[in-house]
Amino acid sequence: MTPASRHQEGAGGVERVGVVGCGLMGSGIAELSAQAGYDVRVAVSSKDSLTAGRKRILASLDRAVRAERIGAAERDEVLGRISFTTDLIDLADRQLVIESIAEDKAAKVELFALLDKTLEDPEAILASNTSSLSITTMASATGRPEQVLGMHFFSPAQRIPLVEIISSLHTAESVLARAEEFVAAGLGKQAIASTDRTGFVVNALLIPYLLAAVRMVESGFASAETIDRGMTLGCSHPVGPLKLADLVGLDVLRSVADALYDEFKETLYAPPPLLTRMVASGFLGKKAGRGFYRYG
């Protein structure tokens, strides 16, 4: 079954999807939604971001063609379902908008307030792909808090089967049900529910594990390679914690750890000094060519 054939018309009451941001996650969500048959419009902040986002999606689809996961004709069909804009007003007709900008609370709150005023459909759902920030805070910036929730995808969004759906105290049960239907019937993903707690389900468990691996490197107890071999060979993990940290992005890891520590004040969530120094040095992981490993 191809991704496009999974799309059920009107799943969750959605035919037109908006995505704000076209970085690693935003581009993946846009590509996934278009593969599932949705009309997708991507809003970005500048023409440079638009060009980079379009190239990122095309490169991903070309890799899928080379790997024979899709054919060239399907690639072209998917691209034909995606349009781009630098003006939020072009999202006015969307029935679902998924925000996927940087993990900056103030920027997200401002964006949600703008989207609330932009969307014409009073039943439109506003979703955040945040990995750690409060859905309640974003919902409170709108006049439709009951229609705001979290829709947390994992990287790469096109291939990882899980989506966390996060409801705040405001989120209506009917909106939650529509979001679950969109994710399951529309995108063909597995959904798990979480309450609005920093880190939600997955990152609340994953982040302390990754930070413990960073501390082990920092202390000189073991190298990144040794730690990763130990966890892949000894625990059958598909990837070791330091390589996974590089894939996630060390800046993202630091941001989520900061959010967790701010809320719970538990030392297991505190970013180690080594992580802070690496982020300050621009060693952000695979996307920057260097993290705990070097990339070509």
Side-chain angles (χ1 to χ4, degrees), residues 260-275:
L260 284 161
Y261 185 72
D262 285 345
E263 179 158 338
F264 301 110
K265 299 298 187 292
E266 295 183 16
T267 55
L268 77 165
Y269 295 129
L274 173 60
L275 178 62

Side-chain angles (χ1 to χ4, degrees), residues 94-109:
R94 302 291 101 174
Q95 297 152 314
L96 166 67
V97 175
I98 304 169
E99 166 274 315
S100 189
I101 64 173
E103 287 287 271
D104 181 312
K105 181 171 70 175
K108 288 180 186 288
V109 167

Side-chain angles (χ1 to χ4, degrees), residues 8-282:
Q8 288 188 7
E9 184 175 355
V14 175
E15 287 291 339
R16 298 181 298 279
V17 176
V19 178
V20 183
C22 203
L24 181 64
M25 290 305 302
S27 63
I29 295 167
E31 179 185 335
L32 169 68
S33 300
Q35 282 185 315
Y38 290 97
D39 174 352
V40 180
R41 184 161 297 146
V42 182
V44 293
S45 59
S46 68
K47 290 183 178 179
D48 286 345
S49 296
L50 189 155
T51 300
R54 182 183 282 123
K55 287 181 177 178
R56 187 174 288 112
I57 291 173
L58 178 58
S60 175
L61 288 168
D62 283 343
R63 286 194 295 272
V65 171
R66 289 195 297 272
E68 299 183 345
R69 292 193 297 270
I70 62 173
E74 184 178 343
R75 173 198 58 198
D76 296 341
E77 289 174 4
V78 170
L79 286 172
R81 296 188 193 104
I82 304 173
S83 58
F84 296 83
T85 182
T86 57
D87 193 339
L88 281 182
I89 195 64
D90 292 325
L91 300 182
D93 69 338
R94 302 291 101 174
Q95 297 152 314
L96 166 67
V97 175
I98 304 169
E99 166 274 315
S100 189
I101 64 173
E103 287 287 271
D104 181 312
K105 181 171 70 175
K108 288 180 186 288
V109 167
E110 181 182 5
L111 175 60
F112 269 73
L114 290 171
L115 287 170
D116 179 44
K117 297 173 183 176
T118 299
L119 297 181
E120 296 171 348
D121 184 351
E123 300 299 319
I125 297 173
L126 288 169
S128 175
N129 182 50
T130 181
S131 55
S132 62
L133 299 178
S134 168
I135 303 302
T136 301
T137 300
M138 288 177 250
S140 297
T142 76
R144 59 180 95 194
E146 70 282 355
Q147 289 162 236
V148 178
L149 46 71
M151 198 175 282
H152 179 215
F153 294 79
F154 294 81
S155 183
Q158 308 92 311
R159 302 186 68 183
I160 300 298
L162 182 69
V163 178
E164 285 182 308
I165 299 181
I166 305 99
S167 56
S168 77
L169 295 175
H170 298 293
T171 307
E173 287 295 327
S174 60
V175 171
L176 184 61
R178 288 173 60 199
E180 290 173 342
E181 183 183 353
F182 169 77
V183 167
L187 301 181
K189 298 288 187 181
Q190 297 290 322
I192 59 172
S194 174
T195 55
D196 189 16
R197 174 191 186 276
T198 298
F200 315 130
V201 174
V202 174
N203 279 332
L205 295 170
L206 176 64
I207 299 303
Y209 164 61
L210 299 184
L211 296 180
V214 175
R215 292 189 187 97
M216 190 172 282
V217 172
E218 183 176 57
S219 70
F221 182 81
S223 68
E225 293 84 356
T226 296
I227 294 166
D228 282 352
R229 286 185 65 204
M231 296 309 294
T232 55
L233 299 178
C235 295
S236 297
H237 288 194
V239 63
L242 282 314
K243 185 149 285 186
L244 179 56
D246 275 358
L247 292 172
V248 168
L250 302 189
D251 53 336
V252 175
L253 174 59
R254 165 67 193 270
S255 175
V256 178
D258 281 339
L260 284 161
Y261 185 72
D262 285 345
E263 179 158 338
F264 301 110
K265 299 298 187 292
E266 295 183 16
T267 55
L268 77 165
Y269 295 129
L274 173 60
L275 178 62
T276 299
R277 289 196 299 274
M278 291 178 74
V279 171
S281 300

